[in-house]
Amino acid sequence: MMTEWRRTRPELEDAIVCDGLLPWAQSFLPLGARLGEQLARFHAQGCNHISLTAAAGTDGPVEALARLGFLRREIAAAGDWLTIASDAASIRRAKAEGRLSVSFHFQSATPFAPDLDLVEAFCAAGIDRAILAYNEANPFADGCHEARNGGLSALGRRLITRMDACGMRIDLSHCGARTSFDALEADLRLPPIFSHSNARALFDHERNITDDQIRACAARGGYIGVNGVGMFLGVAGPQIPQAMARHLAHIAGLAGPDRVGLGLDFMFLEGSDYGFYHAAKGRWPRGYPEPPWDFFQPEQLDDLVAALEAEGFGPSEIRGILGENYLRLALPIGVSPP
């Protein structure tokens, strides 16, 4: 089915759309939620690839393996319109076949904490990217809500060397500023990325990143995905696509339009009791309003494309933002498709 935004824009008809981040964990899902149903919403609106979170927060290796198994079971149950792909060629092939492809990442490095050999093990299991710290400090690094801003530990420096050697991308979203600069200054073959971080200059939230972080990432050859989380944009509901476009324009002005993309961070929380939030508020100490929260919805993709046009992005730049930049700059190197 041809979506409206593609039908009315022939220059974008064959554009590929990649969302760099969608969390799906039973701990926050409402009863009866099915991954396939929500991924089908994205597919119906023209999305071609989504990266799924297989671990976050303080998850260890057992939790990460269980989540990976849960996700694979949900994917298999959804039908043959859904497939797993972790490299650009496989993602493009899935699009050509009319299928939505997915891959897997971690929103924390804590699954590697017991033994750094777990890096290679999880890489072989299909984890192609990992955030170093999720908001709080862990043995490897400080997160964005740690006031001390301590950066990478000695163990963290060994971790990023191992990740880089096996081709796993280092992700700096949710990390503290010093952590991000330490990683960006390290001797790595793959530039670290920010998978889903917005501009702090436009909205002052600790989860957003500064202009200096944006410039450093661009100088290192990295990539920055913008998310659609209302509390990180300072807006709600129908205003989210326009706010995302403003953040994309700001970041593109510093990093270049060829280094930005989408990391939507859509959370399906309709009917959720937000128990995950009330049970661990320390993980979200400042700037997180009482639920319910607002997120970019897949049905707003048409509004986002229109907002990008209103910000002055041309067709080739929009193609890059929608997915081409992600395929070029955010995927792993040296990881075989699972």
Side-chain angles (χ1 to χ4, degrees), residues 60-84:
V62 173
E63 293 90 346
L65 279 171
R67 181 83 51 75
L68 191 57
F70 165 66
L71 290 172
R72 287 181 178 273
R73 179 163 50 83
E74 289 281 291
I75 291 162
D80 61 6
W81 60 271
L82 188 59
T83 188
I84 297 171

Side-chain angles (χ1 to χ4, degrees), residues 231 273-274 277-279 281 284-294:
M231 72 185 89
D273 64 1
Y274 286 80
Y277 167 73
H278 295 293
K281 285 190 176 182
W284 303 279
R286 292 171 293 278
Y288 295 82
E290 285 294 313
W293 297 337
D294 283 303

Side-chain angles (χ1 to χ4, degrees), residues 77-162:
D80 61 6
W81 60 271
L82 188 59
T83 188
I84 297 171
S86 61
D87 64 275
S90 298
I91 291 168
R92 292 187 191 279
R93 184 164 56 251
K95 178 184 182 298
E97 295 169 349
R99 300 202 284 175
L100 176 70
S101 62
V102 297
S103 57
F104 307 107
H105 64 264
F106 286 164
Q107 285 200 68
S108 178
T110 50
F112 309 134
D115 193 320
L116 290 187
D117 283 342
L118 287 162
V119 172
E120 288 80 6
F122 276 115
C123 189
I127 301 301
D128 58 27
R129 184 177 84 225
I131 286 173
L132 298 181
Y134 184 91
N135 292 355
E136 301 175 293
N138 62 34
F140 302 112
D142 272 9
C144 63
H145 294 316
E146 288 288 345
R148 67 183 182 181
N149 194 26
L152 286 175
S153 67
L155 182 61
R157 293 181 184 277
R158 295 200 295 275
L159 170 68
I160 64 173
T161 298
R162 293 286 286 270

Side-chain angles (χ1 to χ4, degrees), residues 161-239:
T161 298
R162 293 286 286 270
M163 291 173 64
D164 190 58
C166 75
M168 187 182 291
R169 283 281 181 182
I170 293 157
D171 190 346
L172 302 175
S173 287
H174 286 279
C175 294
R178 186 66 259 163
T179 296
S180 68
F181 289 126
D182 285 349
L184 289 165
E185 292 163 6
D187 183 16
L188 303 170
R189 68 186 177 117
L190 300 179
I193 69 168
F194 290 92
S195 65
H196 61 303
S197 294
N198 298 343
R200 196 161 182 175
L202 297 190
F203 189 71
D204 189 12
H205 193 290
E206 290 177 355
R207 256 288 280 119
N208 294 341
I209 58 176
T210 66
D211 286 358
D212 285 344
Q213 288 172 285
I214 293 166
R215 292 189 188 98
C217 181
R220 183 64 181 82
Y223 165 91
I224 300 165
V226 163
N227 67 57
V229 182
M231 72 185 89
F232 303 150
L233 296 163
V235 301
Q239 300 172 307

Side-chain angles (χ1 to χ4, degrees), residues 247-288:
H247 281 254
L248 282 159
H250 179 85
I251 295 171
L254 298 171
D258 59 340
R259 297 200 173 278
V260 293
L262 307 179
L264 298 175
D265 202 7
F266 167 78
M267 293 178 70
F268 179 65
L269 295 173
E270 296 300 321
S272 170
D273 64 1
Y274 286 80
F276 67 94
Y277 167 73
H278 295 293
K281 285 190 176 182
R283 193 169 294 164
W284 303 279
R286 292 171 293 278
Y288 295 82

